[in-house]
Amino acid sequence: MAGFGTKGLAPEQPCPCGGETYGTCCRPLHRQERAAATAEQLMRSRYSAYALAEIDHLLRTQPSDQPLRDRRRSLEANCRQLRWCDLEILATEAGGLDDLHGTVTFAAHYSASGEPGVLRERSRFGREGGRCDGAWLYLEALELND
């Protein structure tokens, strides 16, 4: 997928996260028409948000004490610099419908200035308010134990 400025991916096109079509996969989450049911679903939607520069979705799904303007600028710069190409889900732990916490380990392939790269991360997710009906949020990147 292309980087910054590719908002407006047609609903019938493949979803950047590798799921179904964008219109049935991540688009409803980006448009707040549906909430992520699992930690993995939120992780996939965040990957797609980076690929499509859906900055508002990224801001909404990660709590932070950092000023909103600074967060937005940082995310916009990231989306401009990287072209996200492929997502591999390597493992999930908890993060299901009835869980309060979960982790997703993934490899996100990208190119920067024409050079390929890969981001490997184990992400921790939690439910907003610590309730099973709370929205899933990205909390932090954890150390990978290779």
Side-chain angles (χ1 to χ4, degrees):
M1 290 291 113
F4 193 78
T6 59
K7 288 176 93 166
L9 184 66
E12 65 277 1
Q13 290 185 288
C15 192
C17 80
E20 303 164 9
T21 65
Y22 179 57
T24 60
C25 192
C26 291
R27 185 175 190 257
L29 281 70
H30 293 167
R31 302 287 182 266
Q32 293 183 280
E33 298 166 356
R34 182 177 78 226
T38 66
E40 180 180 338
Q41 193 174 57
L42 180 63
M43 194 264 127
R44 287 178 173 280
S45 76
R46 286 180 55 82
Y47 170 86
S48 292
Y50 275 103
L52 300 171
E54 289 284 351
I55 305 298
D56 290 335
H57 180 71
L58 295 168
L59 293 170
R60 222 180 8 257
T61 58
Q62 181 180 8
S64 177
D65 294 332
Q66 186 181 28
L68 181 61
R69 186 178 65 201
D70 295 346
R71 292 175 59 208
R72 183 175 294 280
R73 280 188 191 145
S74 175
L75 288 166
E76 287 172 350
N78 178 286
C79 289
R80 276 191 203 97
Q81 294 167 358
L82 302 176
R83 181 178 176 266
W84 296 98
C85 307
D86 186 39
L87 175 65
E88 294 176 79
I89 302 297
L90 304 173
T92 59
E93 298 170 37
L97 297 173
D98 297 322
D99 294 318
L100 296 178
H101 300 279
T103 62
V104 179
T105 305
F106 65 91
H109 300 266
Y110 63 89
S111 67
S113 301
E115 294 295 319
V118 63
L119 168 67
R120 295 180 196 284
E121 182 175 303
R122 182 171 177 245
S123 298
R124 188 170 75 87
F125 296 86
R127 296 277 195 164
E128 188 172 39
R131 301 181 332 264
C132 281
D133 63 346
W136 281 106
L137 298 170
Y138 169 82
L139 301 177
E140 65 182 333
L142 302 171
E143 271 191 50
L144 281 175
N145 300 321
D146 292 327

